[in-house]
Amino acid sequence: MAVLLSTRNKLALTAVCLAAMMSGLEISSVPVILPILEKQIHASFTQLQWIMNAYTLACTTVLMATGTLADRFGRKRLFLISITGFGLTSLLCGAANSPSLIIFGRFLQGMSGGAMLICLIAILSSQFPPGKARNTAFTAWGVVFGFGLGFGPMIGGLIVALASWQWVFLIHVVIAIITGLLAYKNVEESRDHENQQLDVGGVVSLTATVLSLTFYITQGGQIGYLSDRGLFIVGIALLCLMIFIYIERRHPHPMFDFTVFRNRAFSGALLGSIGMNFSFWPFMIYLPIYFQTVLGYDIVTAGLYLLAYTLPTLLMPPLATRLVSRFGAGKVIPSGLLGIGIGFWLMYFGLHGTIGVLPGAVVAGVALGLTNTPVTHTTTGALPANRAGMASGMDMSARLITLAINIAMMGTLLVAGVKLALCEALPAENSMQGLQSLAEKLAGGENSLPPALASVAREALISGFSGVLLYGAAGVCILALASHFLFNFRVKSALGRAEIES
């Protein structure tokens, strides 16, 4: 790197990598403190879900708009604004003393984090010339971002052990100050003078669709999935979705150009993005609860055990690149998704056996590592160069939307499974409302129960996690088959015709 990059570009790359590390840490370090938030600030299970989902939903809100705004007003300027916003909103989260205030802070933090992520990618593309310098810069960014994601659970656990849960957020204030100073001095300003018109209608309608659907999944157990209010929310989601499709089909510069789905390589890879975030990443939100509540590990030990799930994702990309060169993305991506599904099946059987979930967690992590890089390269490389920005935005949006929906879905299934097991194990005189409340507390990490309930609660949680793992395994396996079909169906048809003609 020393030979390829000037001193200014090295310092600019340091700023970009620090911003990437903040983004990765904020996604993966927060799940380990959820059980602590349940105890110390009395956050309900639904509020814990929203603490995670507020961030991903807000990222999705700004994702597609940020690129256009950065092109118009300056990438460095928007990068500095997003870094400042991330630091201030991290301070707000760390100073919060109620679940509602943390959720509000997390939403604002997600908007800043999403803008920061898009800006740093644009800066890498504009400041570093094509060739070795740009490849070095993107490699460094990817490694640091992966480090934040992979080691986030352990770092979060260590921060809590040495200080308090507040510092899981407050640490970003310090990093943001350093990042901002480096970026101000060394990042070059750049603009696109032929920038396209902002698709405001598409942004608003897509956000409303995802927010309505997530609210319905998260709150459906309380308001009733088939109640008038529940069905009204579903109607709003469908209406917003139709408005979004209408706008995108008529906008001169749509954020989602539906014609690109005719490209089978792009569509197959996009299913890879959806598959990874259907099961692997949302389950990481709940896995710390299993380690801490079911197995009784402290927060540091739980963070170390989570490395079995996240660390393989950092080690596999070089192998994935070689496999794609030899077999093609059309084979590697569906196989990787199938591997995630196998990992989830192994975790499911491990819940009820002696091996535990670690072997399955390792398999799922390895499979994720083999899938992620080919997916990113294929979504951006399958379309013409002038559509690479839109392809990247669609890829990231697919990931975050799927993640937000499945955080809610897995949480709903976890509570439902725990409640069903409690209904079978506890006396019939317990009210359904009381069982629902107990199920939500257990799913949120509550473990201060009377000894008579402790064993029942543990078995109920295992039952709940079984349902979540079955959902994740079945869903990602179906997506693997769909991805394989999109990648390979036309090839097989052509071969079949050739054999008939010969």
Side-chain angles (χ1 to χ4, degrees):
M1 189 183 299
V3 177
L4 295 173
L5 304 180
S6 66
T7 300
R8 183 177 185 182
N9 276 0
K10 285 187 211 173
L11 293 174
L13 180 58
T14 302
V16 165
C17 287
L18 285 174
M21 186 174 68
M22 285 194 291
S23 297
L25 283 175
E26 197 53 37
I27 294 171
S28 63
S29 64
V30 174
V32 298
I33 69 170
L34 295 181
I36 297 176
L37 297 180
E38 190 272 337
K39 296 179 182 66
Q40 294 192 9
I41 64 172
H42 308 294
S44 68
F45 181 71
T46 300
Q47 288 170 328
L48 295 177
Q49 286 182 288
W50 280 109
I51 286 172
M52 291 305 305
N53 255 340
Y55 187 89
T56 49
L57 287 170
C59 281
T60 306
T61 302
V62 302
L63 204 59
M64 300 301 294
T66 299
T68 300
L69 293 175
D71 289 345
R72 181 177 300 176
F73 298 108
R75 291 152 187 159
K76 175 181 177 179
R77 177 182 297 178
L78 204 60
F79 187 47
L80 291 171
I81 292 172
S82 64
I83 292 169
T84 304
F86 197 84
L88 291 174
T89 53
S90 297
L91 179 62
L92 174 61
C93 290
N97 57 6
S98 69
S100 299
L101 191 55
I102 294 182
I103 292 170
F104 177 69
R106 287 280 286 171
F107 187 84
L108 296 179
Q109 191 186 41
M111 293 181 70
S112 302
M116 188 169 64
L117 189 60
I118 293 300
C119 287
L120 68 85
I121 294 174
I123 288 169
L124 288 174
S125 298
S126 62
Q127 183 154 344
F128 296 89
K132 292 184 178 179
R134 184 175 295 179
N135 290 338
T136 299
F138 268 97
T139 299
W141 163 72
V143 168
V144 174
F145 182 64
F147 174 85
L149 280 174
F151 285 89
M154 185 185 70
I155 292 172
L158 288 173
I159 289 173
V160 172
L162 297 173
S164 65
W165 67 262
Q166 287 88 346
W167 277 97
V168 172
F169 298 110
L170 294 177
I171 189 67
H172 296 300
V173 179
V174 179
I175 301 174
I177 292 172
I178 299 171
T179 305
L181 290 173
L182 288 171
Y184 179 76
K185 292 288 186 180
N186 299 286
V187 172
E188 299 173 359
E189 185 60 279
S190 62
R191 292 179 175 85
D192 181 3
H193 298 289
E194 298 180 358
N195 63 311
Q196 298 177 341
Q197 180 183 351
L198 179 62
D199 183 7
V200 177
V203 171
V204 172
S205 57
L206 179 61
T207 301
T209 301
V210 178
L211 185 61
S212 300
L213 185 57
T214 305
F215 183 85
Y216 173 76
I217 296 171
T218 305
Q219 304 291 327
Q222 299 177 13
I223 65 177
Y225 290 106
L226 298 179
S227 66
D228 291 342
R229 186 180 175 191
L231 294 176
F232 175 75
I233 296 170
V234 172
I236 292 294
L238 291 174
L239 177 62
C240 292
L241 178 61
M242 288 188 290
I243 292 173
F244 171 72
I245 294 173
Y246 177 85
I247 291 172
E248 297 308 289
R249 291 176 68 88
R250 287 160 177 78
H251 197 280
H253 304 292
M255 56 186 287
F256 274 60
D257 183 354
F258 293 110
T259 62
V260 300
F261 292 121
R262 298 171 186 167
N263 185 312
R264 286 180 170 268
F266 176 81
S267 297
L270 200 65
L271 284 181
S273 296
I274 293 170
M276 292 185 295
N277 291 276
F278 188 97
S279 54
F280 187 92
W281 291 118
F283 189 62
M284 191 182 73
I285 309 302
Y286 301 103
L287 196 50
I289 296 173
Y290 173 80
F291 286 135
Q292 293 180 62
T293 306
V294 177
L295 300 183
Y297 297 151
D298 60 65
I299 191 169
V300 176
T301 305
L304 289 171
Y305 268 79
L306 274 172
L307 288 178
Y309 195 66
T310 59
L311 188 57
T313 67
L314 305 181
L315 304 178
M316 291 299 109
L319 176 59
T321 301
R322 290 196 292 270
L323 290 175
V324 169
S325 298
R326 182 171 181 180
F327 300 105
K331 296 289 191 299
V332 175
I333 292 174
S335 298
L337 293 181
L338 187 61
I340 296 173
I342 292 171
F344 268 65
W345 284 112
L346 289 175
M347 283 190 281
Y348 168 77
F349 290 115
L351 285 177
H352 306 281
T354 58
I355 63 171
V357 300
L358 286 186
V362 172
V363 170
V366 168
L368 188 284
L370 293 175
T371 308
N372 189 40
T373 301
V375 163
T376 302
H377 289 170
T378 306
T379 52
T380 54
L383 300 179
N386 63 347
R387 288 190 164 186
M390 184 193 68
S392 178
M394 292 178 73
D395 176 30
M396 193 67 72
S397 295
R399 294 177 189 235
L400 291 175
I401 290 170
T402 308
L403 177 61
I405 290 173
N406 280 281
I407 288 175
M409 194 68 195
M410 284 188 172
T412 299
L413 290 172
L414 179 59
V415 171
V418 172
K419 181 181 176 181
L420 182 61
L422 291 175
C423 289
E424 296 174 353
L426 295 178
E429 57 265 20
N430 287 279
S431 69
M432 295 302 291
Q433 185 175 358
L435 290 176
Q436 175 73 20
S437 176
L438 179 58
E440 290 183 357
K441 288 181 179 179
L442 292 174
E446 175 64 56
N447 56 9
S448 56
L449 298 171
L453 279 178
S455 61
V456 173
R458 183 179 181 278
E459 292 303 317
L461 273 170
I462 290 175
S463 178
F465 275 103
S466 297
V468 172
L469 287 169
L470 284 175
Y471 168 77
V476 75
C477 286
I478 291 171
L479 288 166
L481 291 174
S483 178
H484 174 77
F485 175 84
L486 284 173
F487 270 116
N488 299 292
F489 178 76
R490 181 175 295 177
V491 174
K492 289 183 177 181
S493 297
L495 289 174
R497 287 195 299 271
E499 290 175 0
I500 293 173
E501 290 171 359
S502 62

